[in-house]
Amino acid sequence: MSKILYEVYKNDIKDSESVMYGKYYARLKSIETLNMTKLAKHISGHGSVFTEDVVVGVVQKFKTCLLEMLLESKKVKVAGLGTFYLTCECQKGGAEKEEDFNVKEHLKALHIRFLPDQAAEDNLSSREFIKKAEFVNIKNLMSGNTEAESPVDNEDDNPSTNSGQDQGGSQNQGDSQQGGSGQDNGGGGNTGDGWEEG
């Protein structure tokens, strides 16, 4: 079933902005986190000429080299997918003067970020990606109704007013890359890195 599952929830956070408190929003639900072995098995069984062990080796080498390149102040672009890069998060308050800034004292964390490819043929930006998605409310799924919904009107091919962002309440800091994934406006489960760790 190639459908994205979501659930509708009520924002009960009382310190939310008045326009958000008490309103209903959607958040996405995952049914499984694939580990390296499961992903490799899927790839090798998906019309690939490479065996599972070869796929695991390539992915592990990619991971090692990706981290190495990021730690050398390089961005890594995977054509058709997007670009991995680092951002830093500083301690609140910062330094009073430029000469007082100290990495050990004022830097809090490094975040791995991911910027989806926005080339015309492989546009994975949020507003374009939502056009490719079909959704099923998890409540309907439990009752046996798997009819898909689309947020895009096929006639004019425009996304709905909800651009696919959760409307919860958290916000990550420290992302200075324009167009990057520095905000997570919902769900509450994002670690601040551009991917889910498992």
Side-chain angles (χ1 to χ4, degrees), residues 82-158:
T83 303
F84 294 90
Y85 61 96
L86 289 180
T87 62
C88 64
E89 181 179 354
C90 294
Q91 299 285 0
K92 290 183 179 179
E96 293 292 334
K97 300 177 182 177
E98 181 178 352
E99 57 267 25
D100 293 339
F101 186 87
N102 182 284
V103 169
K104 290 183 180 180
E105 180 182 351
H106 295 104
L107 277 188
K108 182 178 180 181
L110 284 178
H111 297 291
I112 298 175
R113 303 293 191 187
F114 175 75
L115 180 64
D117 198 327
Q118 297 184 43
E121 66 275 14
D122 295 308
N123 196 331
L124 298 179
S125 62
S126 58
R127 292 182 184 226
E128 290 298 318
F129 200 38
I130 196 172
K131 295 179 182 179
K132 303 174 184 176
E134 291 185 339
F135 296 83
V136 173
N137 189 322
I138 198 165
K139 184 183 287 186
N140 294 340
L141 185 66
M142 301 299 284
S143 65
N145 180 7
T146 60
E147 184 176 349
E149 309 166 50
S150 176
V152 176
D153 185 345
N154 292 330
E155 292 180 2
D156 59 14
D157 200 36
N158 287 326

Side-chain angles (χ1 to χ4, degrees), residues 12-154:
D12 289 323
I13 303 175
K14 292 186 178 181
D15 60 352
S16 294
E17 298 178 20
S18 59
V19 294
M20 297 174 63
Y21 176 68
K23 302 295 178 61
Y24 290 85
Y25 301 96
R27 59 184 163 210
L28 302 186
K29 301 295 288 184
S30 298
I31 58 174
E32 182 181 6
T33 298
L34 294 181
N35 60 22
M36 183 88 73
T37 302
K38 289 182 178 179
L39 178 60
K41 187 174 182 179
H42 175 81
I43 293 173
S44 64
H46 209 272
S48 173
V49 297
F50 302 107
T51 59
E52 186 177 325
D53 60 327
V54 171
V55 174
V56 168
V58 171
V59 174
Q60 286 180 335
K61 180 58 72 173
F62 172 77
K63 179 193 73 172
T64 301
C65 293
L66 170 65
L67 297 178
E68 180 185 350
M69 294 298 99
L70 292 176
L71 291 171
E72 291 184 6
S73 292
K74 296 177 181 177
K75 297 178 182 180
V76 177
K77 181 173 183 177
V78 180
L81 184 62
T83 303
F84 294 90
Y85 61 96
L86 289 180
T87 62
C88 64
E89 181 179 354
C90 294
Q91 299 285 0
K92 290 183 179 179
E96 293 292 334
K97 300 177 182 177
E98 181 178 352
E99 57 267 25
D100 293 339
F101 186 87
N102 182 284
V103 169
K104 290 183 180 180
E105 180 182 351
H106 295 104
L107 277 188
K108 182 178 180 181
L110 284 178
H111 297 291
I112 298 175
R113 303 293 191 187
F114 175 75
L115 180 64
D117 198 327
Q118 297 184 43
E121 66 275 14
D122 295 308
N123 196 331
L124 298 179
S125 62
S126 58
R127 292 182 184 226
E128 290 298 318
F129 200 38
I130 196 172
K131 295 179 182 179
K132 303 174 184 176
E134 291 185 339
F135 296 83
V136 173
N137 189 322
I138 198 165
K139 184 183 287 186
N140 294 340
L141 185 66
M142 301 299 284
S143 65
N145 180 7
T146 60
E147 184 176 349
E149 309 166 50
S150 176
V152 176
D153 185 345
N154 292 330

Side-chain angles (χ1 to χ4, degrees), residues 176-196:
S176 60
Q177 176 84 11
Q178 186 177 8
S181 54
Q183 285 190 344
D184 169 30
N185 292 324
N190 193 312
T191 61
D193 292 343
W195 50 28
E196 178 189 10

